[in-house]
Amino acid sequence: RISVETGRMEEARQSCPSSLSSRSALLPPDHPDLAESLAAMGLFHLRSGRLDKAQALLEAAMKVYEKAPASDFRTRDSALMAMAELSAFRGDLASAEEAFNKVRSNSDSPYATVKALIREAGCEMRGGQARKAAGALNEALSLHAQLPLADKLDRELILFGLGESNAAQGRLEEAEAFLTRAYEAAEDRHSAGVLDMISALRSL
């Protein structure tokens, strides 16, 4: 799951099927760990553009979680966010928003909330809701600033997203300012010349 969520798709291409195969052989069909592998495989298919396969796996995972109320809610919420992304890909933004609201209300970790807001904003951008995306990202940026151990990559993603969402609204000066900050954040996290900065600079 982490490989998919962080964009390491070649790694996920091997680890997701391996995890699902191993757990399918060792665990009963209603075990929450199996649901986690189903959700990871579903997210992999979703990010690869295979929506029907993704939907079948994610729905199977959610059915397991519904029967296992004591399961880890973080892994359950990960599956729910994947379902939200699937809804957004299919154009059902209302269902996606409802799912993300549920995830955020379940969250007991501000760090997890930041990541959920970033994913929600991505869905809103794909659905042409740039203003809503900017609202989610501004909330994420404010929360991120209060967290001493916050992921620096999250800050880059937030600033980059704010650049894109402001540009989509025709707010070009604000977009330029956010993309400049994204460039600086990437430089601080890495060093000059990495792909993160090249991408941000190209958009700027």
Side-chain angles (χ1 to χ4, degrees):
R1 175 179 57 81
I2 293 172
S3 296
V4 184
E5 288 180 354
T6 55
R8 303 197 302 272
M9 299 300 284
E10 284 303 315
E11 181 180 307
R13 192 184 305 277
Q14 297 181 2
S15 60
C16 286
S18 175
S19 169
L20 181 56
S21 176
S22 297
R23 286 177 166 173
S24 296
L26 295 172
L27 298 172
D30 59 350
H31 197 287
D33 286 354
L34 178 58
E36 185 176 9
S37 292
L38 286 166
M41 192 75 232
L43 183 61
F44 173 77
H45 283 305
L46 176 61
R47 297 285 173 87
S48 302
R50 295 183 286 270
L51 302 190
D52 291 340
K53 287 186 176 181
Q55 182 169 348
L57 288 159
L58 292 172
E59 287 178 349
M62 293 306 299
K63 285 180 181 178
V64 175
Y65 284 128
E66 288 168 5
K67 296 177 181 177
S71 61
D72 180 1
F73 73 88
R74 287 192 178 88
T75 59
R76 185 173 64 246
D77 282 354
S78 177
L80 187 57
M81 282 193 287
M83 287 293 293
E85 287 190 27
L86 177 63
S87 295
F89 271 114
R90 293 197 183 282
D92 187 357
L93 295 180
S95 293
E97 183 176 0
E98 181 181 349
F100 277 116
N101 285 339
K102 186 174 181 179
V103 169
R104 286 191 277 111
S105 67
N106 289 343
S107 177
D108 66 345
S109 165
Y111 296 93
T113 299
V114 167
K115 293 181 183 297
L117 285 165
I118 292 171
R119 289 178 70 172
E120 182 177 3
C123 289
E124 289 165 343
M125 279 297 294
R126 286 192 295 271
Q129 302 288 328
R131 187 183 297 275
K132 278 191 172 183
L137 290 167
N138 276 312
E139 184 179 347
L141 184 62
S142 176
L143 185 55
H144 188 280
Q146 303 171 34
L147 304 176
L149 301 177
D151 190 338
K152 289 185 177 181
L153 175 58
D154 284 347
R155 178 174 168 79
E156 286 178 52
L157 294 173
I158 293 167
L159 292 170
F160 191 77
L162 282 166
E164 290 186 308
S165 58
N166 276 276
Q169 297 176 74
R171 300 162 58 90
L172 300 184
E173 289 187 6
E174 290 87 346
E176 181 176 354
F178 280 120
L179 288 168
T180 299
R181 291 169 66 185
Y183 178 93
E184 292 168 349
E187 187 174 35
D188 177 63
R189 189 168 71 93
H190 297 289
S191 59
V194 296
L195 291 177
D196 307 59
M197 289 194 297
I198 292 171
S199 178
L201 184 58
R202 182 181 295 118
S203 294
L204 176 60

